[in-house]
Amino acid sequence: MNYIWEVVGRHPTGQQPTGEETIQKLCDRVASSTLLEDRRDAVRALKSLSKKYRTEVGTMAMDHLVRILQTDRTDTEILGYALDTLYNIVCSDEEEEPDDSEEENQQKQEDDLGAQFTDKFIRETDNITLLLTLLEEFDFHVRWPGVKLLTALLKSQCAQVQGIILVSPMGVSRLMDLLADSREVIRNDGLLLLQQLTKGNTAIQKIVAFENAFERLLEIIIEEGSSDGGIVVEDCLLLLLNLLKNNSSNQNFFKEGSYIQKMKPWFEVGDDNSGWSAQKVTNLHLMLQLVRVMVSPVNSPGATSSCQKAMFQCGLLQQLCTILMATGVPADILTETINTVSEVIRGSEVNQDYFASVNAPSNPPRPAIVVLLMSMVNERQPFVLRCAVLYCFQCFLYKNHKGQGEIVATLLPSTIDANSISAGQLLCGGLFSADSLSNWCAAVALAHALQDNLTQKEQLLRVQLATSLGKPPVSLLQQCTNILSQGSRVQTKVGLLMLLCTWISNCPIAVMHFLHNQDNVPFLTGQISENLGEDERLVQGLCALLLGICIYYNDNSLENYTKEKLKQLIEKRIGKENFVEKLSFITKHELYSRAAQKPQPAFSTPEHMLFDHEFTKLVKELEGMITKAVLRSSEEEKQEEEVKKTLEQHDSIVTQYKELIREQDSQINELKEQVTLLTSQNEKLQNTITQQFSQIQQHKDQYNILKLKLGKDNQQTGNQAEAAHVNGLQPEELSQLREQLEELQRQNQLLQTQLTEKHSLITSLKAEGVPSAEGSTSEVTELQKEVELLKAQLQSQTAEITQLQSEKKELLKGSETTAAVPGEDSVYTEKIAELESRLSAQTAETQKLKVEVKTLLESKELMDKELASATSTAAIMQAEKSKLQQEVQESKKEQDDLLMLLADQDQKILSLKQRLKDLGETIEDEDDLDSRDQFDDDDADDDEEEEEECDE
């Protein structure tokens, strides 16, 4: 401590300065020193005094320390000292554990002092923002004490600090960066910080989750060894629980991100399960709790179902069942695993079927359900384990009619196997054992096998039990009532009464079997009418409930125990008011409300195990109905029965109308579909006709162009032939050319004839096809108009039917309110007759609309045929056009060859004339030759003389 005095200054030789004076001088030094070294030394001295003089340092130095954080940002050492000092101020020393009440009071005072300093620090919200900014500093001496200080502030004033961080820009993101720090100390303290930050704040939980927290936390868990890891794994799991529990958004994000599949490796437990460490037990317990959070019954049914499906598909349920059937697993882990498997299979048919197929690794193999039930009815097993097995069995039967039937079937005589132990035998054994807890658990389990399943309630009436040798077997129902009358313990009585109430409720056959025993009703009335102690009041209430069920679900098949006689018996021997009061004892019991909160049976001691969650729902449903049934007089019941009959008649009439209206609705919908189909087909037909028009016009244009081209080619061919005659000086060659020219003329004439035929064909197609298309267009227009008219008629008919339905509803309301008045029946009869006539008219209108639709369909078929004919005609025209174009091309090619031949002949004639000139022969002019050629056809003799002269 000498450096403190060096900072403060030399102390006088006399009296030593007090701690408060020293702290005051250090504060002055921090505030007034211009040198950074002086301020650093002063802050370091305050840090060393902050634990011993916590109050003085917090009161006098906090503002100076905050100013240091604001101004001396460049020096990491002084920042670290200031943050450590603030941490010592707001956080009490937790190393010393209190030993007695005096030290506990002192600890409480220190906690209050820390809360005061925290309030002072966060009063300025900029201080938290400043602290978040300092956490971005990578230096270890700044970041680590900053994390510890913020964690201490959250522990002291969680809600206030959460609010400031939530509105701070990038506040949560800066804290998430701590998980990526390579220094394990900062990363681990960052986990503790995020645990405090995410407690009870849904908004921050969502932000942390979307900052990729799930991915990073799962990576840390794997890096640290999963369930075999240390305290860091526990911190990660606690943070995951904070993020997922009661946060549906994060649960959905966890499921959609496929993180459920990444949980499977956590539960890969080896064969050697000996020597589990306490940390491994803690880690695995938290992992199981995470699974339960995803499939908790308090979640929405859709989210729970999707998570259950994902857990089955990835093999997580199979892994949990492996742990369930493994040996050497600690009792608390086994109990939590059973609870987890229970909620994974609850209400999921696929998961329940798989669980039914799981066998224990025994010789011979036994179903897992049987092994678990053996533990439930074994009084030497731990209480929490037996509760977990009961919960597992309840979840297996929840909304599982198939499983309920399999359990009840093991009790029926035809399916009992004497060589193996079945679930039904275990339940019967527990039901009639000497252990009251086994009685209660077996009764509740058997009640769940009958829950909302009338078939199994009737099947269970067939079960016969052999009580002792030489005596005839008795039914299971009778044996339950026999045990009740023998004066058993309260827990056994409550369990059996819950079973009987569940069994006979909503099952008149079971009520008849119960009343058939002459001793049952006197026993119930005797129990209800007696003045018993506090413990027996619940039994009285359940007896009243059982007797009330016998009245409410009585079909009056037994003459001695009709509804009216049972009510008279209650009025004489118990009193109606007294009966209702005893019935209310059930819901007034403190354990009733506790059991109604959640499905899992959670009891502190076996004596508190009295109510089942599903049974509380049944009581809530039946209490009011039974009270009304008992308090009503016979006249009121008769009136009510008459009203029921009248309503049933009205209901039957209304049902007929409903069926008729449903038929008409279906017919109208069919007509609407047909109208829609016809409209679409009409549009297609119009489009097809438009395309046909355009194609015909294109064919006409192409035909005209070809006609013009062919005329020009013929004219050019004639001129070239005349020129060839002029140069016909060689007789042999000229005759050959003439023959070729005549052949070409014949071909040309043939082409002209074919062209004329094609032209006439196109003209006839034009004359026949276009009017047909126009006719189709007009028919389509008329069809469209008829379709629009049909739509309007259908809309009006729909409006009328809607009006009829509304009138029918008003009629039903009126019949319900005044059905008991005889004078009103005629009015409603007339209204019903009027309604029937209107509906008949609507039916006739519908038939008429059907006929019109049929006519429209026939018109459509006719138009389809005409369209097909037009299409085939256009196809023929297209083929003829192609053939004609090909012939024209061939003719042009032949003409070109002839021109080439004529050019060669002309060249030869010119060369011969030149040779004649060179030989001295006289050559006439071309004009004379032309004039002479004009008379060749008239005078053949002159033609021969000219040839002789040419030969000379």
Side-chain angles (χ1 to χ4, degrees), residues 60 68 109 131 241 280 282 321 367 403 425 462 517 522 635 659 776 839 845 849 860 869 880 909:
M60 293 185 287
I68 290 293
Q109 293 176 0
L131 191 56
L241 280 173
K280 181 176 182 179
T282 302
C321 290
Q425 293 173 350
R462 298 169 48 200
N517 188 352
E635 294 180 357
E659 292 177 356
S776 300
L839 286 174
E845 185 68 21
L849 290 176
K860 171 185 169 299
S869 175
E880 293 292 338
I909 292 172

Side-chain angles (χ1 to χ4, degrees), residues 75 286 538 556 561 632 694 822 915 939:
D75 187 72
L286 291 173
L538 179 59
N556 296 326
Y561 293 109
R632 277 197 302 263
S694 63
R915 286 178 62 189
D939 192 0

Side-chain angles (χ1 to χ4, degrees), residues 409-540:
T410 59
L411 286 165
L412 300 178
S414 59
T415 57
I416 293 177
D417 186 2
N419 297 323
S420 62
I421 300 176
S422 65
Q425 293 173 350
L426 288 171
L427 290 177
C428 280
L431 194 62
F432 307 124
S433 69
D435 180 28
S436 60
L437 183 59
S438 297
N439 302 153
W440 191 91
C441 292
V444 170
L446 196 55
H448 277 262
L450 306 176
Q451 194 76 38
D452 299 327
N453 196 328
L454 181 61
T455 303
Q456 303 310 322
K457 290 178 181 180
E458 296 176 356
Q459 287 291 323
L460 200 63
L461 294 173
R462 298 169 48 200
V463 177
Q464 300 290 323
L465 301 176
T467 55
S468 61
L469 293 175
K471 291 185 179 181
V474 297
S475 65
L476 177 61
L477 184 66
Q478 184 57 43
Q479 184 64 16
C480 291
T481 56
N482 292 340
I483 295 176
L484 276 175
S485 61
Q486 291 173 2
S488 306
R489 297 179 182 177
V490 173
Q491 192 173 37
T492 303
K493 287 183 178 181
V494 171
L496 291 172
L497 286 169
M498 286 196 299
L499 172 60
L500 291 173
C501 290
T502 305
W503 191 347
I504 71 173
S505 66
N506 200 21
C507 183
I509 298 177
V511 172
M512 183 190 69
H513 279 73
F514 181 79
L515 295 177
H516 191 72
N517 188 352
Q518 302 295 329
D519 298 330
N520 289 341
V521 174
F523 168 74
L524 293 178
T525 55
Q527 288 285 321
I528 300 170
S529 60
E530 289 183 5
N531 292 323
L532 303 177
E534 187 70 23
D535 296 337
E536 295 289 339
R537 294 181 66 183
L538 179 59
V539 176
Q540 287 184 310

Side-chain angles (χ1 to χ4, degrees), residues 248-266:
S248 57
S249 175
N250 283 0
Q251 290 173 7
N252 185 60
F253 181 65
F254 191 84
K255 176 180 66 70
E256 295 295 336
S258 300
Y259 295 116
I260 291 178
Q261 289 81 343
K262 297 181 181 180
M263 297 168 69
K264 181 187 174 184
W266 295 354

Side-chain angles (χ1 to χ4, degrees), residues 803-814:
Q803 184 179 1
L804 289 176
Q805 289 177 343
S806 62
E807 292 179 1
K808 179 182 63 180
K809 291 180 180 178
E810 292 177 358
L811 180 60
L812 288 178
K813 290 181 180 177

Side-chain angles (χ1 to χ4, degrees), residues 292 324 331-343 355 372-373 375-376 382-396 441 600-603 609:
R292 293 185 66 184
L324 197 66
D332 52 348
I333 293 298
L334 181 60
T335 302
E336 189 64 21
T337 304
I338 294 173
N339 288 328
T340 306
V341 171
S342 305
E343 294 182 351
F355 183 71
L372 292 175
L373 288 178
S375 300
M376 186 185 74
F383 172 65
V384 291
L385 179 63
R386 299 174 72 180
C387 291
V389 173
L390 176 62
Y391 184 46
C392 184
F393 191 74
Q394 292 173 349
C395 293
F396 169 68
C441 292
Q600 182 182 0
F603 305 101
M609 209 165 184

Side-chain angles (χ1 to χ4, degrees), residues 66 80 154 265 342 355 457 513 613 616 633 755:
V66 172
L154 283 167
S342 305
F355 183 71
K457 290 178 181 180
H513 279 73
H613 177 75
T616 60
S633 63
L755 194 62

